[in-house]
Structures are given as structure tokens and as C-alpha cells.
Amino acid sequence: MTNIVLFGKPGAGKGTQAEFLKEKYNLTHLSTGDIFRFNIKNETELGKLAQTYINNGELVPDEVTIKMLQSEVEANPESAGFLFDGFPRTIAQAQALDAFLTTKNEKITATVALEADDEILVARLLERGKTSGRADDQDEEKIRNRYQEYNEKTAPLIDFYKGQNKFYAVNGIGSIAEITERLSSVIDNL
């Protein structure tokens, strides 16, 4: 089973690339953003709770996110592997994911980070905000707050996964096809 963590700052192209990777490698795509949006749209208890954090440009608490991901993995027992998009975002989440996968006799195969300059990403998100309707993509201050959260809480995952020899950085600037090719090169050589 191949289990890939795809991460990078908001706007780095994780969602776009995940669509190509899930098809190419027959992976089940688990996007915390999509899961949250589903719950928010359907006004579930979890959705209402997540919305309050998202509206402030903050991360949803670990225990909520972890429970959601566990149920999604368990709902797909026949999967050839998982593509985790937007999770884990903290070392505590990474440790919880490792512990959970161990109970399934599985592990993370690799962590691939899409890297790009903040100013390019801010421009991408503001452009996306014009059509997505997402309030958190329309306010530069909220975008920059998300980057601050990323730098404080998610960037330490680089060292966590480097310590496991599972970290790969990929240049997230270029055409979609160029970035997909770079990601595929990493995955194909695992």
C-alpha cells in the first residue's frame, strides 16, 4: 500500500495535483479541506465547529481532524493507498497518523511538499478567491495569518519526516503538467 502525505502552504497546488496523483497511482484522496467543506455545507456539528476556526484563519483542533481522517480511512478498506492532502498539519497529527496506521499494519510511504514563494501564493489565492467564493481566499490578512499558522505548526513536519527519511521537496512553480511530472518522478522512485 502506498500512503503519501502531500503538503505545502495554502495555494501551493495540493488539491490540483492530488487529482492527477490519485488517478495515476489509484490512491484514495483524503482532503481535510473537502471533508471540512462537506461538513460545513451540511451544517453538521463538526462542520459548525470547524467553520469557527476556518473563519479566523486558524487550524481545526487535532482531535477533531484526527477522528475525521480515521473514519475516512476505515470507510475505504479496499484502497490501494491514501493520498493525505492537508493532513497532517502538526507533529502531533503526524504522530497520531503514524500510530493509527500502525494499527492497520500500514505506514506513511513518503511526504511530498510543494514549495513556492509566499508572494506568488498570496496572488494565487486572491485570484482563486474571485471564483471560489471562499472568504478565506479573498482577504490577504487572513491568507497571511494562514501562512503564519503554517510556519509555526506545519513547517516542523519537514524535520519530523526528514528524520524518517520520508521527506521530498518539489518545486511548486510552473505549469500543472511540469509540477505533476516532478511529483511523479519522486513517487516513481520510492
Side-chain angles (χ1 to χ4, degrees), residues 30 66-67 69-75 82 84 87 93-107:
L30 297 180
I66 291 163
K67 286 180 183 174
L69 262 288
Q70 287 176 344
S71 72
E72 292 293 324
V73 168
E74 290 172 351
F82 294 91
F84 295 96
F87 185 89
Q93 287 180 359
Q95 291 168 332
L97 180 60
D98 284 350
F100 172 67
L101 290 175
T102 298
T103 69
K104 303 285 186 195
N105 294 317
E106 292 298 334
K107 64 183 180 190

mmCIF file with all atom_site columns, all heavy atoms in Angstrom, residues 30 66-67 69-75 82 84 87 93-107:
data_model
loop_
_atom_site.group_PDB
_atom_site.id
_atom_site.type_symbol
_atom_site.label_atom_id
_atom_site.label_alt_id
_atom_site.label_comp_id
_atom_site.label_asym_id
_atom_site.label_entity_id
_atom_site.label_seq_id
_atom_site.pdbx_PDB_ins_code
_atom_site.Cartn_x
_atom_site.Cartn_y
_atom_site.Cartn_z
_atom_site.occupancy
_atom_site.B_iso_or_equiv
_atom_site.pdbx_formal_charge
_atom_site.auth_seq_id
_atom_site.auth_comp_id
_atom_site.auth_asym_id
_atom_site.auth_atom_id
_atom_site.pdbx_PDB_model_num
ATOM 1   N N   . LEU A 1 30  ? -7.758  11.870 0.379  1.00 0.00 ? 30  LEU A N   1
ATOM 2   C CA  . LEU A 1 30  ? -8.397  12.347 1.599  1.00 0.00 ? 30  LEU A CA  1
ATOM 3   C C   . LEU A 1 30  ? -7.955  13.790 1.832  1.00 0.00 ? 30  LEU A C   1
ATOM 4   O O   . LEU A 1 30  ? -6.840  14.039 2.281  1.00 0.00 ? 30  LEU A O   1
ATOM 5   C CB  . LEU A 1 30  ? -8.013  11.476 2.798  1.00 0.00 ? 30  LEU A CB  1
ATOM 6   C CG  . LEU A 1 30  ? -8.442  10.018 2.725  1.00 0.00 ? 30  LEU A CG  1
ATOM 7   C CD1 . LEU A 1 30  ? -7.998  9.267  3.976  1.00 0.00 ? 30  LEU A CD1 1
ATOM 8   C CD2 . LEU A 1 30  ? -9.946  9.899  2.549  1.00 0.00 ? 30  LEU A CD2 1
ATOM 9   N N   . ILE A 1 66  ? -8.265  14.407 13.450 1.00 0.00 ? 66  ILE A N   1
ATOM 10  C CA  . ILE A 1 66  ? -7.800  13.020 13.505 1.00 0.00 ? 66  ILE A CA  1
ATOM 11  C C   . ILE A 1 66  ? -8.977  12.045 13.443 1.00 0.00 ? 66  ILE A C   1
ATOM 12  O O   . ILE A 1 66  ? -8.939  11.063 12.690 1.00 0.00 ? 66  ILE A O   1
ATOM 13  C CB  . ILE A 1 66  ? -6.931  12.801 14.753 1.00 0.00 ? 66  ILE A CB  1
ATOM 14  C CG1 . ILE A 1 66  ? -5.618  13.566 14.599 1.00 0.00 ? 66  ILE A CG1 1
ATOM 15  C CG2 . ILE A 1 66  ? -6.682  11.327 15.012 1.00 0.00 ? 66  ILE A CG2 1
ATOM 16  C CD1 . ILE A 1 66  ? -4.855  13.769 15.900 1.00 0.00 ? 66  ILE A CD1 1
ATOM 17  N N   . LYS A 1 67  ? -10.022 12.313 14.197 1.00 0.00 ? 67  LYS A N   1
ATOM 18  C CA  . LYS A 1 67  ? -11.197 11.428 14.183 1.00 0.00 ? 67  LYS A CA  1
ATOM 19  C C   . LYS A 1 67  ? -11.826 11.366 12.792 1.00 0.00 ? 67  LYS A C   1
ATOM 20  O O   . LYS A 1 67  ? -12.244 10.308 12.334 1.00 0.00 ? 67  LYS A O   1
ATOM 21  C CB  . LYS A 1 67  ? -12.222 11.882 15.220 1.00 0.00 ? 67  LYS A CB  1
ATOM 22  C CG  . LYS A 1 67  ? -11.808 11.559 16.625 1.00 0.00 ? 67  LYS A CG  1
ATOM 23  C CD  . LYS A 1 67  ? -12.835 12.024 17.637 1.00 0.00 ? 67  LYS A CD  1
ATOM 24  C CE  . LYS A 1 67  ? -12.349 11.755 19.048 1.00 0.00 ? 67  LYS A CE  1
ATOM 25  N NZ  . LYS A 1 67  ? -13.235 12.302 20.064 1.00 0.00 ? 67  LYS A NZ  1
ATOM 26  N N   . LEU A 1 69  ? -10.307 11.826 9.861  1.00 0.00 ? 69  LEU A N   1
ATOM 27  C CA  . LEU A 1 69  ? -9.444  11.081 8.951  1.00 0.00 ? 69  LEU A CA  1
ATOM 28  C C   . LEU A 1 69  ? -9.489  9.588  9.234  1.00 0.00 ? 69  LEU A C   1
ATOM 29  O O   . LEU A 1 69  ? -9.513  8.783  8.300  1.00 0.00 ? 69  LEU A O   1
ATOM 30  C CB  . LEU A 1 69  ? -8.004  11.592 9.051  1.00 0.00 ? 69  LEU A CB  1
ATOM 31  C CG  . LEU A 1 69  ? -7.575  12.591 7.989  1.00 0.00 ? 69  LEU A CG  1
ATOM 32  C CD1 . LEU A 1 69  ? -7.395  11.948 6.649  1.00 0.00 ? 69  LEU A CD1 1
ATOM 33  C CD2 . LEU A 1 69  ? -8.455  13.800 7.903  1.00 0.00 ? 69  LEU A CD2 1
ATOM 34  N N   . GLN A 1 70  ? -9.524  9.218  10.484 1.00 0.00 ? 70  GLN A N   1
ATOM 35  C CA  . GLN A 1 70  ? -9.606  7.796  10.829 1.00 0.00 ? 70  GLN A CA  1
ATOM 36  C C   . GLN A 1 70  ? -10.867 7.176  10.249 1.00 0.00 ? 70  GLN A C   1
ATOM 37  O O   . GLN A 1 70  ? -10.815 6.089  9.675  1.00 0.00 ? 70  GLN A O   1
ATOM 38  C CB  . GLN A 1 70  ? -9.580  7.613  12.349 1.00 0.00 ? 70  GLN A CB  1
ATOM 39  C CG  . GLN A 1 70  ? -8.232  7.866  12.958 1.00 0.00 ? 70  GLN A CG  1
ATOM 40  C CD  . GLN A 1 70  ? -8.239  7.786  14.474 1.00 0.00 ? 70  GLN A CD  1
ATOM 41  O OE1 . GLN A 1 70  ? -9.290  7.831  15.113 1.00 0.00 ? 70  GLN A OE1 1
ATOM 42  N NE2 . GLN A 1 70  ? -7.061  7.689  15.064 1.00 0.00 ? 70  GLN A NE2 1
ATOM 43  N N   . SER A 1 71  ? -11.983 7.881  10.358 1.00 0.00 ? 71  SER A N   1
ATOM 44  C CA  . SER A 1 71  ? -13.230 7.321  9.831  1.00 0.00 ? 71  SER A CA  1
ATOM 45  C C   . SER A 1 71  ? -13.184 7.223  8.313  1.00 0.00 ? 71  SER A C   1
ATOM 46  O O   . SER A 1 71  ? -13.725 6.278  7.736  1.00 0.00 ? 71  SER A O   1
ATOM 47  C CB  . SER A 1 71  ? -14.441 8.127  10.305 1.00 0.00 ? 71  SER A CB  1
ATOM 48  O OG  . SER A 1 71  ? -14.505 9.371  9.669  1.00 0.00 ? 71  SER A OG  1
ATOM 49  N N   . GLU A 1 72  ? -12.508 8.161  7.657  1.00 0.00 ? 72  GLU A N   1
ATOM 50  C CA  . GLU A 1 72  ? -12.390 8.103  6.193  1.00 0.00 ? 72  GLU A CA  1
ATOM 51  C C   . GLU A 1 72  ? -11.516 6.930  5.749  1.00 0.00 ? 72  GLU A C   1
ATOM 52  O O   . GLU A 1 72  ? -11.828 6.243  4.780  1.00 0.00 ? 72  GLU A O   1
ATOM 53  C CB  . GLU A 1 72  ? -11.829 9.421  5.642  1.00 0.00 ? 72  GLU A CB  1
ATOM 54  C CG  . GLU A 1 72  ? -12.777 10.591 5.780  1.00 0.00 ? 72  GLU A CG  1
ATOM 55  C CD  . GLU A 1 72  ? -14.028 10.466 4.923  1.00 0.00 ? 72  GLU A CD  1
ATOM 56  O OE1 . GLU A 1 72  ? -13.953 9.945  3.795  1.00 0.00 ? 72  GLU A OE1 1
ATOM 57  O OE2 . GLU A 1 72  ? -15.098 10.879 5.397  1.00 0.00 ? 72  GLU A OE2 1
ATOM 58  N N   . VAL A 1 73  ? -10.414 6.696  6.457  1.00 0.00 ? 73  VAL A N   1
ATOM 59  C CA  . VAL A 1 73  ? -9.553  5.551  6.129  1.00 0.00 ? 73  VAL A CA  1
ATOM 60  C C   . VAL A 1 73  ? -10.334 4.250  6.333  1.00 0.00 ? 73  VAL A C   1
ATOM 61  O O   . VAL A 1 73  ? -10.322 3.372  5.470  1.00 0.00 ? 73  VAL A O   1
ATOM 62  C CB  . VAL A 1 73  ? -8.257  5.563  6.980  1.00 0.00 ? 73  VAL A CB  1
ATOM 63  C CG1 . VAL A 1 73  ? -7.505  4.235  6.864  1.00 0.00 ? 73  VAL A CG1 1
ATOM 64  C CG2 . VAL A 1 73  ? -7.357  6.726  6.566  1.00 0.00 ? 73  VAL A CG2 1
ATOM 65  N N   . GLU A 1 74  ? -11.033 4.152  7.447  1.00 0.00 ? 74  GLU A N   1
ATOM 66  C CA  . GLU A 1 74  ? -11.787 2.933  7.744  1.00 0.00 ? 74  GLU A CA  1
ATOM 67  C C   . GLU A 1 74  ? -12.946 2.718  6.777  1.00 0.00 ? 74  GLU A C   1
ATOM 68  O O   . GLU A 1 74  ? -13.355 1.583  6.544  1.00 0.00 ? 74  GLU A O   1
ATOM 69  C CB  . GLU A 1 74  ? -12.268 2.962  9.195  1.00 0.00 ? 74  GLU A CB  1
ATOM 70  C CG  . GLU A 1 74  ? -11.104 2.794  10.158 1.00 0.00 ? 74  GLU A CG  1
ATOM 71  C CD  . GLU A 1 74  ? -11.452 3.011  11.616 1.00 0.00 ? 74  GLU A CD  1
ATOM 72  O OE1 . GLU A 1 74  ? -12.570 3.465  11.924 1.00 0.00 ? 74  GLU A OE1 1
ATOM 73  O OE2 . GLU A 1 74  ? -10.573 2.704  12.456 1.00 0.00 ? 74  GLU A OE2 1
ATOM 74  N N   . ALA A 1 75  ? -13.427 3.782  6.158  1.00 0.00 ? 75  ALA A N   1
ATOM 75  C CA  . ALA A 1 75  ? -14.523 3.669  5.194  1.00 0.00 ? 75  ALA A CA  1
ATOM 76  C C   . ALA A 1 75  ? -14.027 3.170  3.827  1.00 0.00 ? 75  ALA A C   1
ATOM 77  O O   . ALA A 1 75  ? -14.839 2.891  2.946  1.00 0.00 ? 75  ALA A O   1
ATOM 78  C CB  . ALA A 1 75  ? -15.233 5.019  5.028  1.00 0.00 ? 75  ALA A CB  1
ATOM 79  N N   . PHE A 1 82  ? -3.475  5.726  0.240  1.00 0.00 ? 82  PHE A N   1
ATOM 80  C CA  . PHE A 1 82  ? -4.127  7.004  0.519  1.00 0.00 ? 82  PHE A CA  1
ATOM 81  C C   . PHE A 1 82  ? -3.216  8.166  0.180  1.00 0.00 ? 82  PHE A C   1
ATOM 82  O O   . PHE A 1 82  ? -1.996  8.091  0.360  1.00 0.00 ? 82  PHE A O   1
ATOM 83  C CB  . PHE A 1 82  ? -4.544  7.084  1.990  1.00 0.00 ? 82  PHE A CB  1
ATOM 84  C CG  . PHE A 1 82  ? -5.604  6.085  2.343  1.00 0.00 ? 82  PHE A CG  1
ATOM 85  C CD1 . PHE A 1 82  ? -5.271  4.827  2.818  1.00 0.00 ? 82  PHE A CD1 1
ATOM 86  C CD2 . PHE A 1 82  ? -6.946  6.394  2.166  1.00 0.00 ? 82  PHE A CD2 1
ATOM 87  C CE1 . PHE A 1 82  ? -6.253  3.893  3.120  1.00 0.00 ? 82  PHE A CE1 1
ATOM 88  C CE2 . PHE A 1 82  ? -7.944  5.462  2.457  1.00 0.00 ? 82  PHE A CE2 1
ATOM 89  C CZ  . PHE A 1 82  ? -7.588  4.220  2.942  1.00 0.00 ? 82  PHE A CZ  1
ATOM 90  N N   . PHE A 1 84  ? -2.947  11.766 1.473  1.00 0.00 ? 84  PHE A N   1
ATOM 91  C CA  . PHE A 1 84  ? -3.385  12.690 2.517  1.00 0.00 ? 84  PHE A CA  1
ATOM 92  C C   . PHE A 1 84  ? -3.049  14.113 2.087  1.00 0.00 ? 84  PHE A C   1
ATOM 93  O O   . PHE A 1 84  ? -1.883  14.456 1.924  1.00 0.00 ? 84  PHE A O   1
ATOM 94  C CB  . PHE A 1 84  ? -2.698  12.356 3.853  1.00 0.00 ? 84  PHE A CB  1
ATOM 95  C CG  . PHE A 1 84  ? -3.082  11.012 4.396  1.00 0.00 ? 84  PHE A CG  1
ATOM 96  C CD1 . PHE A 1 84  ? -2.289  9.896  4.156  1.00 0.00 ? 84  PHE A CD1 1
ATOM 97  C CD2 . PHE A 1 84  ? -4.240  10.861 5.139  1.00 0.00 ? 84  PHE A CD2 1
ATOM 98  C CE1 . PHE A 1 84  ? -2.639  8.657  4.657  1.00 0.00 ? 84  PHE A CE1 1
ATOM 99  C CE2 . PHE A 1 84  ? -4.604  9.618  5.645  1.00 0.00 ? 84  PHE A CE2 1
ATOM 100 C CZ  . PHE A 1 84  ? -3.805  8.514  5.402  1.00 0.00 ? 84  PHE A CZ  1
ATOM 101 N N   . PHE A 1 87  ? -3.268  17.058 5.620  1.00 0.00 ? 87  PHE A N   1
ATOM 102 C CA  . PHE A 1 87  ? -3.131  16.337 6.881  1.00 0.00 ? 87  PHE A CA  1
ATOM 103 C C   . PHE A 1 87  ? -1.952  15.389 6.768  1.00 0.00 ? 87  PHE A C   1
ATOM 104 O O   . PHE A 1 87  ? -1.817  14.736 5.731  1.00 0.00 ? 87  PHE A O   1
ATOM 105 C CB  . PHE A 1 87  ? -4.400  15.526 7.172  1.00 0.00 ? 87  PHE A CB  1
ATOM 106 C CG  . PHE A 1 87  ? -4.374  14.846 8.507  1.00 0.00 ? 87  PHE A CG  1
ATOM 107 C CD1 . PHE A 1 87  ? -4.833  15.495 9.628  1.00 0.00 ? 87  PHE A CD1 1
ATOM 108 C CD2 . PHE A 1 87  ? -3.869  13.570 8.641  1.00 0.00 ? 87  PHE A CD2 1
ATOM 109 C CE1 . PHE A 1 87  ? -4.799  14.880 10.872 1.00 0.00 ? 87  PHE A CE1 1
ATOM 110 C CE2 . PHE A 1 87  ? -3.819  12.941 9.865  1.00 0.00 ? 87  PHE A CE2 1
ATOM 111 C CZ  . PHE A 1 87  ? -4.298  13.604 10.989 1.00 0.00 ? 87  PHE A CZ  1
ATOM 112 N N   . GLN A 1 93  ? -0.367  15.600 14.979 1.00 0.00 ? 93  GLN A N   1
ATOM 113 C CA  . GLN A 1 93  ? -1.203  14.899 13.994 1.00 0.00 ? 93  GLN A CA  1
ATOM 114 C C   . GLN A 1 93  ? -0.399  13.824 13.283 1.00 0.00 ? 93  GLN A C   1
ATOM 115 O O   . GLN A 1 93  ? -0.912  12.721 13.033 1.00 0.00 ? 93  GLN A O   1
ATOM 116 C CB  . GLN A 1 93  ? -1.772  15.883 12.977 1.00 0.00 ? 93  GLN A CB  1
ATOM 117 C CG  . GLN A 1 93  ? -2.858  16.772 13.507 1.00 0.00 ? 93  GLN A CG  1
ATOM 118 C CD  . GLN A 1 93  ? -3.387  17.729 12.447 1.00 0.00 ? 93  GLN A CD  1
ATOM 119 O OE1 . GLN A 1 93  ? -2.933  17.748 11.300 1.00 0.00 ? 93  GLN A OE1 1
ATOM 120 N NE2 . GLN A 1 93  ? -4.357  18.547 12.832 1.00 0.00 ? 93  GLN A NE2 1
ATOM 121 N N   . ALA A 1 94  ? 0.849   14.114 12.944 1.00 0.00 ? 94  ALA A N   1
ATOM 122 C CA  . ALA A 1 94  ? 1.696   13.123 12.256 1.00 0.00 ? 94  ALA A CA  1
ATOM 123 C C   . ALA A 1 94  ? 1.915   11.906 13.151 1.00 0.00 ? 94  ALA A C   1
ATOM 124 O O   . ALA A 1 94  ? 1.848   10.762 12.685 1.00 0.00 ? 94  ALA A O   1
ATOM 125 C CB  . ALA A 1 94  ? 3.025   13.750 11.856 1.00 0.00 ? 94  ALA A CB  1
ATOM 126 N N   . GLN A 1 95  ? 2.169   12.147 14.425 1.00 0.00 ? 95  GLN A N   1
ATOM 127 C CA  . GLN A 1 95  ? 2.354   11.033 15.357 1.00 0.00 ? 95  GLN A CA  1
ATOM 128 C C   . GLN A 1 95  ? 1.071   10.231 15.504 1.00 0.00 ? 95  GLN A C   1
ATOM 129 O O   . GLN A 1 95  ? 1.112   8.997  15.540 1.00 0.00 ? 95  GLN A O   1
ATOM 130 C CB  . GLN A 1 95  ? 2.826   11.574 16.712 1.00 0.00 ? 95  GLN A CB  1
ATOM 131 C CG  . GLN A 1 95  ? 4.229   12.137 16.655 1.00 0.00 ? 95  GLN A CG  1
ATOM 132 C CD  . GLN A 1 95  ? 4.619   12.929 17.891 1.00 0.00 ? 95  GLN A CD  1
ATOM 133 O OE1 . GLN A 1 95  ? 3.764   13.509 18.578 1.00 0.00 ? 95  GLN A OE1 1
ATOM 134 N NE2 . GLN A 1 95  ? 5.915   12.968 18.183 1.00 0.00 ? 95  GLN A NE2 1
ATOM 135 N N   . ALA A 1 96  ? -0.071  10.919 15.572 1.00 0.00 ? 96  ALA A N   1
ATOM 136 C CA  . ALA A 1 96  ? -1.357  10.221 15.679 1.00 0.00 ? 96  ALA A CA  1
ATOM 137 C C   . ALA A 1 96  ? -1.639  9.415  14.409 1.00 0.00 ? 96  ALA A C   1
ATOM 138 O O   . ALA A 1 96  ? -2.145  8.289  14.484 1.00 0.00 ? 96  ALA A O   1
ATOM 139 C CB  . ALA A 1 96  ? -2.484  11.226 15.938 1.00 0.00 ? 96  ALA A CB  1
ATOM 140 N N   . LEU A 1 97  ? -1.300  9.976  13.245 1.00 0.00 ? 97  LEU A N   1
ATOM 141 C CA  . LEU A 1 97  ? -1.497  9.252  11.985 1.00 0.00 ? 97  LEU A CA  1
ATOM 142 C C   . LEU A 1 97  ? -0.606  8.012  11.943 1.00 0.00 ? 97  LEU A C   1
ATOM 143 O O   . LEU A 1 97  ? -1.064  6.927  11.574 1.00 0.00 ? 97  LEU A O   1
ATOM 144 C CB  . LEU A 1 97  ? -1.218  10.163 10.790 1.00 0.00 ? 97  LEU A CB  1
ATOM 145 C CG  . LEU A 1 97  ? -1.392  9.529  9.410  1.00 0.00 ? 97  LEU A CG  1
ATOM 146 C CD1 . LEU A 1 97  ? -2.815  9.026  9.198  1.00 0.00 ? 97  LEU A CD1 1
ATOM 147 C CD2 . LEU A 1 97  ? -1.008  10.532 8.321  1.00 0.00 ? 97  LEU A CD2 1
ATOM 148 N N   . ASP A 1 98  ? 0.664   8.165  12.317 1.00 0.00 ? 98  ASP A N   1
ATOM 149 C CA  . ASP A 1 98  ? 1.572   7.011  12.358 1.00 0.00 ? 98  ASP A CA  1
ATOM 150 C C   . ASP A 1 98  ? 1.026   5.920  13.278 1.00 0.00 ? 98  ASP A C   1
ATOM 151 O O   . ASP A 1 98  ? 1.025   4.739  12.926 1.00 0.00 ? 98  ASP A O   1
ATOM 152 C CB  . ASP A 1 98  ? 2.967   7.424  12.826 1.00 0.00 ? 98  ASP A CB  1
ATOM 153 C CG  . ASP A 1 98  ? 3.778   8.137  11.755 1.00 0.00 ? 98  ASP A CG  1
ATOM 154 O OD1 . ASP A 1 98  ? 3.347   8.165  10.584 1.00 0.00 ? 98  ASP A OD1 1
ATOM 155 O OD2 . ASP A 1 98  ? 4.859   8.661  12.105 1.00 0.00 ? 98  ASP A OD2 1
ATOM 156 N N   . ALA A 1 99  ? 0.568   6.321  14.462 1.00 0.00 ? 99  ALA A N   1
ATOM 157 C CA  . ALA A 1 99  ? 0.038   5.351  15.429 1.00 0.00 ? 99  ALA A CA  1
ATOM 158 C C   . ALA A 1 99  ? -1.197  4.658  14.869 1.00 0.00 ? 99  ALA A C   1
ATOM 159 O O   . ALA A 1 99  ? -1.346  3.431  14.986 1.00 0.00 ? 99  ALA A O   1
ATOM 160 C CB  . ALA A 1 99  ? -0.283  6.047  16.756 1.00 0.00 ? 99  ALA A CB  1
ATOM 161 N N   . PHE A 1 100 ? -2.087  5.429  14.241 1.00 0.00 ? 100 PHE A N   1
ATOM 162 C CA  . PHE A 1 100 ? -3.296  4.848  13.660 1.00 0.00 ? 100 PHE A CA  1
ATOM 163 C C   . PHE A 1 100 ? -2.948  3.876  12.530 1.00 0.00 ? 100 PHE A C   1
ATOM 164 O O   . PHE A 1 100 ? -3.468  2.761  12.474 1.00 0.00 ? 100 PHE A O   1
ATOM 165 C CB  . PHE A 1 100 ? -4.217  5.959  13.149 1.00 0.00 ? 100 PHE A CB  1
ATOM 166 C CG  . PHE A 1 100 ? -5.389  5.443  12.362 1.00 0.00 ? 100 PHE A CG  1
ATOM 167 C CD1 . PHE A 1 100 ? -6.386  4.698  12.967 1.00 0.00 ? 100 PHE A CD1 1
ATOM 168 C CD2 . PHE A 1 100 ? -5.477  5.681  10.999 1.00 0.00 ? 100 PHE A CD2 1
ATOM 169 C CE1 . PHE A 1 100 ? -7.459  4.208  12.234 1.00 0.00 ? 100 PHE A CE1 1
ATOM 170 C CE2 . PHE A 1 100 ? -6.537  5.203  10.264 1.00 0.00 ? 100 PHE A CE2 1
ATOM 171 C CZ  . PHE A 1 100 ? -7.538  4.457  10.882 1.00 0.00 ? 100 PHE A CZ  1
ATOM 172 N N   . LEU A 1 101 ? -2.055  4.290  11.621 1.00 0.00 ? 101 LEU A N   1
ATOM 173 C CA  . LEU A 1 101 ? -1.685  3.419  10.501 1.00 0.00 ? 101 LEU A CA  1
ATOM 174 C C   . LEU A 1 101 ? -1.011  2.142  10.992 1.00 0.00 ? 101 LEU A C   1
ATOM 175 O O   . LEU A 1 101 ? -1.208  1.073  10.411 1.00 0.00 ? 101 LEU A O   1
ATOM 176 C CB  . LEU A 1 101 ? -0.791  4.165  9.507  1.00 0.00 ? 101 LEU A CB  1
ATOM 177 C CG  . LEU A 1 101 ? -1.483  5.257  8.692  1.00 0.00 ? 101 LEU A CG  1
ATOM 178 C CD1 . LEU A 1 101 ? -0.473  6.008  7.824  1.00 0.00 ? 101 LEU A CD1 1
ATOM 179 C CD2 . LEU A 1 101 ? -2.607  4.690  7.831  1.00 0.00 ? 101 LEU A CD2 1
ATOM 180 N N   . THR A 1 102 ? -0.252  2.245  12.065 1.00 0.00 ? 102 THR A N   1
ATOM 181 C CA  . THR A 1 102 ? 0.388   1.059  12.640 1.00 0.00 ? 102 THR A CA  1
ATOM 182 C C   . THR A 1 102 ? -0.659  0.035  13.063 1.00 0.00 ? 102 THR A C   1
ATOM 183 O O   . THR A 1 102 ? -0.459  -1.169 12.885 1.00 0.00 ? 102 THR A O   1
ATOM 184 C CB  . THR A 1 102 ? 1.290   1.457  13.831 1.00 0.00 ? 102 THR A CB  1
ATOM 185 O OG1 . THR A 1 102 ? 2.318   2.319  13.339 1.00 0.00 ? 102 THR A OG1 1
ATOM 186 C CG2 . THR A 1 102 ? 1.929   0.242  14.481 1.00 0.00 ? 102 THR A CG2 1
ATOM 187 N N   . THR A 1 103 ? -1.800  0.495  13.573 1.00 0.00 ? 103 THR A N   1
ATOM 188 C CA  . THR A 1 103 ? -2.865  -0.443 13.972 1.00 0.00 ? 103 THR A CA  1
ATOM 189 C C   . THR A 1 103 ? -3.449  -1.151 12.756 1.00 0.00 ? 103 THR A C   1
ATOM 190 O O   . THR A 1 103 ? -4.083  -2.197 12.894 1.00 0.00 ? 103 THR A O   1
ATOM 191 C CB  . THR A 1 103 ? -4.013  0.254  14.734 1.00 0.00 ? 103 THR A CB  1
ATOM 192 O OG1 . THR A 1 103 ? -4.741  1.119  13.854 1.00 0.00 ? 103 THR A OG1 1
ATOM 193 C CG2 . THR A 1 103 ? -3.499  1.026  15.942 1.00 0.00 ? 103 THR A CG2 1
ATOM 194 N N   . LYS A 1 104 ? -3.233  -0.576 11.572 1.00 0.00 ? 104 LYS A N   1
ATOM 195 C CA  . LYS A 1 104 ? -3.703  -1.176 10.315 1.00 0.00 ? 104 LYS A CA  1
ATOM 196 C C   . LYS A 1 104 ? -2.560  -1.898 9.587  1.00 0.00 ? 104 LYS A C   1
ATOM 197 O O   . LYS A 1 104 ? -2.698  -2.249 8.410  1.00 0.00 ? 104 LYS A O   1
ATOM 198 C CB  . LYS A 1 104 ? -4.279  -0.092 9.392  1.00 0.00 ? 104 LYS A CB  1
ATOM 199 C CG  . LYS A 1 104 ? -5.405  0.715  9.999  1.00 0.00 ? 104 LYS A CG  1
ATOM 200 C CD  . LYS A 1 104 ? -6.660  -0.090 10.027 1.00 0.00 ? 104 LYS A CD  1
ATOM 201 C CE  . LYS A 1 104 ? -7.834  0.725  10.500 1.00 0.00 ? 104 LYS A CE  1
ATOM 202 N NZ  . LYS A 1 104 ? -8.953  -0.138 10.855 1.00 0.00 ? 104 LYS A NZ  1
ATOM 203 N N   . ASN A 1 105 ? -1.412  -2.049 10.260 1.00 0.00 ? 105 ASN A N   1
ATOM 204 C CA  . ASN A 1 105 ? -0.196  -2.617 9.657  1.00 0.00 ? 105 ASN A CA  1
ATOM 205 C C   . ASN A 1 105 ? 0.243   -1.833 8.428  1.00 0.00 ? 105 ASN A C   1
ATOM 206 O O   . ASN A 1 105 ? 0.687   -2.412 7.436  1.00 0.00 ? 105 ASN A O   1
ATOM 207 C CB  . ASN A 1 105 ? -0.379  -4.106 9.331  1.00 0.00 ? 105 ASN A CB  1
ATOM 208 C CG  . ASN A 1 105 ? -0.553  -4.932 10.584 1.00 0.00 ? 105 ASN A CG  1
ATOM 209 O OD1 . ASN A 1 105 ? 0.158   -4.719 11.569 1.00 0.00 ? 105 ASN A OD1 1
ATOM 210 N ND2 . ASN A 1 105 ? -1.506  -5.835 10.561 1.00 0.00 ? 105 ASN A ND2 1
ATOM 211 N N   . GLU A 1 106 ? 0.086   -0.529 8.494  1.00 0.00 ? 106 GLU A N   1
ATOM 212 C CA  . GLU A 1 106 ? 0.472   0.359  7.400  1.00 0.00 ? 106 GLU A CA  1
ATOM 213 C C   . GLU A 1 106 ? 1.372   1.461  7.930  1.00 0.00 ? 106 GLU A C   1
ATOM 214 O O   . GLU A 1 106 ? 1.561   1.605  9.137  1.00 0.00 ? 106 GLU A O   1
ATOM 215 C CB  . GLU A 1 106 ? -0.776  0.986  6.751  1.00 0.00 ? 106 GLU A CB  1
ATOM 216 C CG  . GLU A 1 106 ? -1.642  0.001  6.012  1.00 0.00 ? 106 GLU A CG  1
ATOM 217 C CD  . GLU A 1 106 ? -0.941  -0.667 4.840  1.00 0.00 ? 106 GLU A CD  1
ATOM 218 O OE1 . GLU A 1 106 ? -0.002  -0.074 4.265  1.00 0.00 ? 106 GLU A OE1 1
ATOM 219 O OE2 . GLU A 1 106 ? -1.321  -1.791 4.503  1.00 0.00 ? 106 GLU A OE2 1
ATOM 220 N N   . LYS A 1 107 ? 1.922   2.260  7.012  1.00 0.00 ? 107 LYS A N   1
ATOM 221 C CA  . LYS A 1 107 ? 2.764   3.396  7.382  1.00 0.00 ? 107 LYS A CA  1
ATOM 222 C C   . LYS A 1 107 ? 2.747   4.421  6.255  1.00 0.00 ? 107 LYS A C   1
ATOM 223 O O   . LYS A 1 107 ? 2.290   4.133  5.138  1.00 0.00 ? 107 LYS A O   1
ATOM 224 C CB  . LYS A 1 107 ? 4.194   2.936  7.659  1.00 0.00 ? 107 LYS A CB  1
ATOM 225 C CG  . LYS A 1 107 ? 4.870   2.354  6.432  1.00 0.00 ? 107 LYS A CG  1
ATOM 226 C CD  . LYS A 1 107 ? 6.250   1.842  6.739  1.00 0.00 ? 107 LYS A CD  1
ATOM 227 C CE  . LYS A 1 107 ? 6.800   1.287  5.431  1.00 0.00 ? 107 LYS A CE  1
ATOM 228 N NZ  . LYS A 1 107 ? 7.959   0.564  5.459  1.00 0.00 ? 107 LYS A NZ  1
#
